[in-house]
Amino acid sequence: MRAAIDGPQAGRRVEEVLDRLAATGDRAACAAAEELVRVLMDFYGAGLARILEKVGDGPLQPVYGDELVASLLSLHGLHPEDVHTRIDRALAAHGEPLELLGFDADTGVLRLRPAAASTGCGCGSGSGGDAGRTLEDTLACFAPEVTGVEQEPAAAPAPALLQIGTRPPSPARVP
């Protein structure tokens, strides 16, 4: 049985290998390695596109919530869900209750704040989600269009509503 593959970790490993090759100063080897990565990406992307074309996205809907599948489909521009749906999936998978304030598609910046129901300190110590996984890693799997996250402080609780009447209640009349 194969070991579990983590999409963001695999991407970092590819970058590290390419960086090590670049550090050797051998431009030909570096260019060949980068071309190899591009060819493999094109190959796997074409294969995934063919699967979607032949099977359709209906039977695949149950796996859209899987981080590895979502990461592969998104990486190749094949994920049938829009970016907002995938951002919602990422926030749900992360587990810490966060309120989505907005996503700027032009800059890739996602604005969030701790949800009102959150009892946490907003320091990322929520009990949900994978303990070693950051929000950014989860977003990279589901919505790689998100290139930055801005977290605003939690909203201040609304003040208690005080009812003020126009006159005091009438005393009970005794017949």
Side-chain angles (χ1 to χ4, degrees), residues 19-92:
D19 287 346
R20 284 197 321 255
L21 276 171
T24 67
D26 186 341
R27 288 184 180 205
C30 190
E34 288 177 1
E35 182 180 359
L36 175 63
V37 170
R38 277 192 298 279
V39 168
L40 287 173
M41 289 286 296
D42 290 345
F43 175 71
Y44 288 120
L48 288 170
R50 178 85 48 92
I51 290 169
L52 287 173
E53 176 186 307
K54 300 280 185 188
V55 175
D57 70 328
L60 295 177
Q61 283 183 346
V63 296
Y64 292 158
D66 181 88
E67 288 186 10
L68 183 59
V69 173
S71 180
L72 283 171
L73 293 174
S74 297
L75 181 65
H76 294 285
L78 298 170
H79 205 296
E81 295 178 333
D82 67 18
V83 67
H84 296 287
T85 301
R86 291 183 284 116
I87 288 171
D88 289 342
R89 278 189 188 272
L91 295 177

